Amino acid sequence: MDFTSLYNHHEREVFAAVIDTAATYPAIQADPELMADVACVALNRLPPRYIRHAVDYSFYLTEQERLDVDAAIKEAVNYAFNFVQARSVLRAKRP
């Protein structure tokens, strides 16, 4: 069995949203490790949606469901940036 064609639909959407939002958080944007942390935090806030083809997922969604997914991704990414930023500030204050 070959499962390499399976992936979480939200990954690509979250990665794009992280890149789009990164300019608002220059200290995080400058650190690839923190950017990866943001993506992980955001993905962990979303329910996984494993698919083989993006068309399969999109085909079965209503327009309202698509809007809801987009809003959930935006909220998760914003939360993740704020979470990682707060953790970075705390780490920086440690001796």
Side-chain angles (χ1 to χ4, degrees):
M1 298 233 95
D2 179 12
F3 296 110
T4 58
S5 65
L6 301 176
Y7 67 96
N8 181 351
H9 179 267
H10 294 318
E11 288 176 1
R12 293 177 185 172
E13 302 283 332
V14 166
F15 298 159
V18 168
I19 291 167
D20 289 345
T21 307
T24 309
Y25 299 87
I28 294 173
Q29 184 181 30
D31 186 336
E33 293 293 318
L34 292 179
M35 290 287 286
D37 288 346
V38 169
C40 287
V41 171
L43 283 166
N44 283 327
R45 293 188 58 82
L46 298 166
R49 296 290 180 248
Y50 286 94
I51 59 171
R52 291 184 59 212
H53 307 286
V55 167
D56 292 345
Y57 183 72
S58 298
F59 178 76
Y60 292 105
L61 293 178
T62 66
E63 184 63 28
Q64 186 58 52
E65 288 169 327
R66 275 190 213 107
L67 293 172
D68 292 346
V69 167
D70 290 345
I73 289 170
K74 184 175 181 177
E75 186 279 324
V77 168
N78 287 330
Y79 173 89
F81 268 104
N82 289 318
F83 180 84
V84 170
Q85 183 175 40
R87 292 290 183 176
S88 296
V89 169
L90 287 175
R91 271 191 222 118
K93 289 183 180 181
R94 290 184 183 164

